[in-house]
Amino acid sequence: MKFSKDFLFGAASASYQVEGAWNEDGKGVSNWDVFSKIDGKTYQETNGDVAVDHYHRYKEDIALMAEMGLESYRFSISWTRIYPNGDGELNQKGLDFYNNVINECLKYNIIPFVTLYHWDLPQELEINGGWTNERTLKAFQQYADTCFKAFGDRVKHWITFNETVIFSRHGYIFGAHPPGILNDFKNYYQVLHNVFLTHAKVVLNFKDSGYQGDIGITHVFSPAFPADDKESSKKAAEHANMFDTFLYYDPILKGTYPEYVLNQLKEKGYAFELSQEDQEILLKAAPLNDFIGINYYQPMRVIANDSNTSREITRESSTGGAGAVSYDGVYQTVKVPDHSYTKWGWEISPEALLDGMHLLKNEYGNIPIYITENGLGDEDPIVEGEIKDAARIDYIEKHLKFVKKGISEGLNIKGYFAWSVIDLLSWLNGYKKQYGFIYVDHKDHLNRKKKDSFYWYQEVIATRGENL
Ligand SMILES: C[C@@]1(C(=O)O)OC[C@H]2O[C@@H](O)[C@H](O)[C@@H](O)[C@H]2O1
């Protein structure tokens, strides 16, 4: 069986991780431009000042995507190229750059799939309370509408936010992302709500303004399963799914928050402000989402944290590997014997992706799903100058097989975006953790080189996955 002709084979990137040119052509300073230069915050003090210079090499990179036969390129817009201070003055050169990227994609019939926010907040907004401040929420709505007006004639697929859980939890609890705050649970939950409310307002504006195309949001998708048959593990998995899945997906797709969560937040004094007006906005916007984007890398295998050990907060423990105590201390993720893991301790389980998507369908109906990220972070072997990333081919092949199986079982999966189209900066792992189909040689002027997986994905797209 082939994937249908309207299924999108894509690949993704994010502005801070690929563009570089951090202070060129009128771009304002982002929170990551500042945070990445604080000692100890990133791996070996790496930052995105240059990244892989996609800002100057986007034509070469998009030509390589076209050679691969890529059908859609998911990229994010750097807010500070459009509004250097987040609001106020507009930067025409920023609009020009993204017009050029979009036009370059369309030149090759590559569908641009645009993320408005992939964590690089204007520093001017960050230092004034970031996502806790109404100013940021209003500024984002203005920025989004500016992008719809400027690019909406050619961009028909919009993602508002990438992985809210990451920038909120790493920003306000783990301190691993800007603003680098530790254990501020109250603001963590308030930021979540502020972002979801902003998403809802942007969706309503998108639809009310008559902009053409589809709009949605992208969440981490890491469904929790009990690591053993203990009743305590089953309860721990239910709790994990409430606080790590339904707390994110419910307000977007149902327009309400899980009572289980709201009740516990109230008990703990973490309840966020949720006005009647907010609830009406969430409810009104929920059915207008055209899709849900899911970033799947691994499931969570959980046990109860009976020993009440607290989470050790380090940069390493924030890079997602199994074995950490949850941020709220209630459960712990564990490695399961005879399961396979990446070098960063992430479980490789395409089966759990399929099981998890059925769980989403049971909860939210058959809403269109884009897998907006999936891929293998690895240190790719180089043999006689060739990048032999067989492990990445194996990882993506296995996951695409289960995507195909899910479609045959009636799941409404509309596309698959590998993370990442090109090797790029990992927020916490520098350039060590590679994800791309295209290698970037940091020892040779950032020259690009096609990996084995480039040719493999090219064949998959050409044959529409018939041989998977
Ligand atoms: C933490 C990490 C990683 O570096 O492995 O997870 C996978 C992938 O998720 C994306 O949303 C991030 O933008 C990208 O940088 C990657 O980040």
Side-chain angles (χ1 to χ4, degrees):
M1 183 196 100
K2 292 184 178 180
F3 284 87
S4 70
K5 63 177 175 26
D6 59 0
F7 180 89
L8 284 184
F9 284 103
S13 75
S15 47
Y16 186 73
Q17 299 176 264
V18 283
E19 288 179 2
W22 74 285
N23 59 353
E24 281 187 38
D25 291 339
K27 174 181 171 293
V29 177
S30 78
N31 59 351
W32 270 96
D33 291 324
V34 175
F35 189 77
S36 62
K37 297 178 178 97
I38 300 170
D39 284 355
K41 288 299 183 186
T42 64
Y43 177 72
Q44 293 184 341
E45 315 311 322
T46 42
N47 63 54
D49 284 1
V50 176
V52 294
D53 200 27
H54 189 60
Y55 187 80
H56 299 109
R57 302 190 189 201
Y58 70 91
K59 288 190 177 181
E60 174 190 356
D61 294 340
I62 294 170
L64 282 168
M65 294 177 209
E67 185 186 336
M68 186 157 62
L70 205 66
E71 296 177 327
S72 185
Y73 173 37
R74 178 188 171 220
F75 61 91
S76 77
I77 291 177
S78 175
W79 186 345
T80 50
R81 293 198 191 282
I82 309 298
Y83 286 99
N85 292 312
D87 48 22
E89 190 191 334
L90 194 52
N91 176 37
Q92 184 56 49
K93 286 188 176 178
L95 293 169
D96 296 346
F97 171 65
Y98 291 107
N99 270 317
N100 293 339
V101 170
I102 292 160
N103 294 339
E104 199 68 19
C105 287
L106 296 177
K107 190 169 100 178
Y108 297 104
N109 295 318
I110 295 172
I111 294 170
F113 211 111
V114 176
T115 305
L116 289 167
Y117 188 77
H118 202 127
W119 309 352
D120 41 354
L121 184 72
Q123 181 66 359
E124 168 63 17
L125 297 176
E126 187 70 271
I127 58 177
N128 285 289
W131 289 105
T132 67
N133 185 338
E134 182 68 22
R135 177 184 168 191
T136 302
L137 281 55
K138 288 197 181 322
F140 183 84
Q141 291 166 64
Q142 176 191 56
Y143 156 63
D145 192 62
T146 298
C147 291
F148 297 151
K149 282 190 173 64
F151 312 124
D153 60 320
R154 288 152 292 151
V155 174
K156 304 300 179 188
H157 298 83
W158 296 93
I159 294 167
T160 53
F161 294 95
N162 177 75
E163 298 192 352
T164 306
V165 63
I166 298 294
F167 67 86
S168 55
R169 197 175 290 175
H170 281 52
Y172 287 88
I173 295 181
F174 298 153
H177 283 203
I181 294 169
L182 284 168
N183 298 323
D184 185 347
F185 285 75
K186 179 94 172 134
N187 270 325
Y188 159 64
Y189 290 110
Q190 187 63 59
V191 162
L192 285 188
H193 172 61
N194 290 353
V195 169
F196 298 156
L197 182 65
T198 303
H199 166 81
K201 289 180 176 178
V202 167
V203 169
L204 290 170
N205 171 54
F206 185 86
K207 299 296 183 183
D208 294 348
S209 303
Y211 294 122
Q212 298 304 305
D214 289 347
I215 189 166
I217 195 171
T218 274
H219 279 333
V220 163
F221 186 51
S222 195
F225 302 92
D228 53 42
D229 292 337
K230 286 182 188 167
E231 203 46 45
S232 61
S233 301
K234 290 173 187 167
K235 287 245 173 295
E238 284 165 15
H239 177 89
N241 280 322
M242 279 291 173
F243 274 83
D244 288 293
T245 300
F246 304 136
L247 171 57
Y248 290 85
Y249 288 73
D250 279 20
I252 304 299
L253 299 176
K254 291 182 179 175
T256 56
Y257 288 95
E259 282 305 321
Y260 174 92
V261 173
L262 292 180
N263 292 337
Q264 293 202 19
L265 296 191
K266 212 175 289 173
E267 282 167 25
K268 293 176 179 172
Y270 297 149
F272 48 82
E273 292 153 38
L274 177 59
S275 67
Q276 185 58 37
E277 185 195 6
D278 288 0
Q279 292 183 69
E280 285 161 11
I281 290 167
L282 290 174
L283 274 171
K284 193 176 172 195
L288 302 178
N289 285 283
D290 296 296
F291 63 86
I292 186 75
I294 66 172
N295 289 355
Y296 175 83
Y297 292 91
Q298 59 175 339
M300 289 195 284
R301 309 289 181 186
V302 303
I303 58 173
N305 178 29
D306 290 334
S307 58
N308 282 319
T309 45
S310 56
R311 182 187 177 101
E312 184 211 3
I313 295 183
T314 63
R315 187 182 55 74
E316 286 74 15
S317 72
S318 303
T319 55
V325 171
S326 63
Y327 73 101
D328 60 5
V330 171
Y331 62 90
Q332 175 171 1
T333 58
V334 293
K335 282 194 171 182
V336 176
D338 76 26
H339 287 207
S340 52
Y341 292 85
T342 73
K343 283 183 188 139
W344 269 262
W346 293 23
E347 184 181 344
I348 299 173
S349 177
E351 300 81 357
L353 168 61
L354 180 57
D355 293 346
M357 288 193 290
H358 277 295
L359 181 142
L360 291 180
K361 183 181 175 193
N362 296 339
E363 274 299 314
Y364 305 108
N366 215 11
I367 181 165
I369 294 175
Y370 283 97
I371 296 171
T372 40
E373 286 179 30
N374 175 252
L376 177 70
D378 203 359
E379 293 178 274
D380 298 337
I382 299 181
V383 178
E384 292 167 8
E386 295 303 318
I387 297 86
K388 314 297 287 176
D389 59 336
R392 177 162 302 108
I393 292 171
D394 183 58
Y395 178 99
I396 296 177
E397 182 174 39
K398 281 176 177 158
H399 285 79
L400 277 175
K401 281 180 175 178
F402 276 83
V403 169
K404 186 192 267 193
K405 186 172 186 313
I407 292 169
S408 69
E409 293 169 358
L411 293 174
N412 196 359
I413 309 168
K414 308 292 283 179
Y416 172 92
F417 290 81
W419 183 266
S420 56
V421 64
I422 187 171
D423 286 347
L424 40 67
L425 174 69
S426 167
W427 311 85
L428 301 179
N429 304 287
Y431 296 100
K432 178 181 176 187
K433 191 175 187 183
Q434 298 161 280
Y435 274 97
F437 293 119
I438 301 164
Y439 173 76
V440 175
D441 190 340
H442 289 268
K443 296 190 180 76
D444 184 12
H445 308 94
L446 302 180
N447 282 342
R448 276 71 166 137
K449 189 167 181 56
K450 298 165 226 172
K451 301 183 187 179
D452 282 3
S453 59
F454 177 101
Y455 299 102
W456 173 81
Y457 201 47
Q458 183 182 51
E459 174 65 14
V460 166
I461 297 169
T463 57
R464 302 216 66 72
E466 186 173 27
N467 305 318
L468 290 177

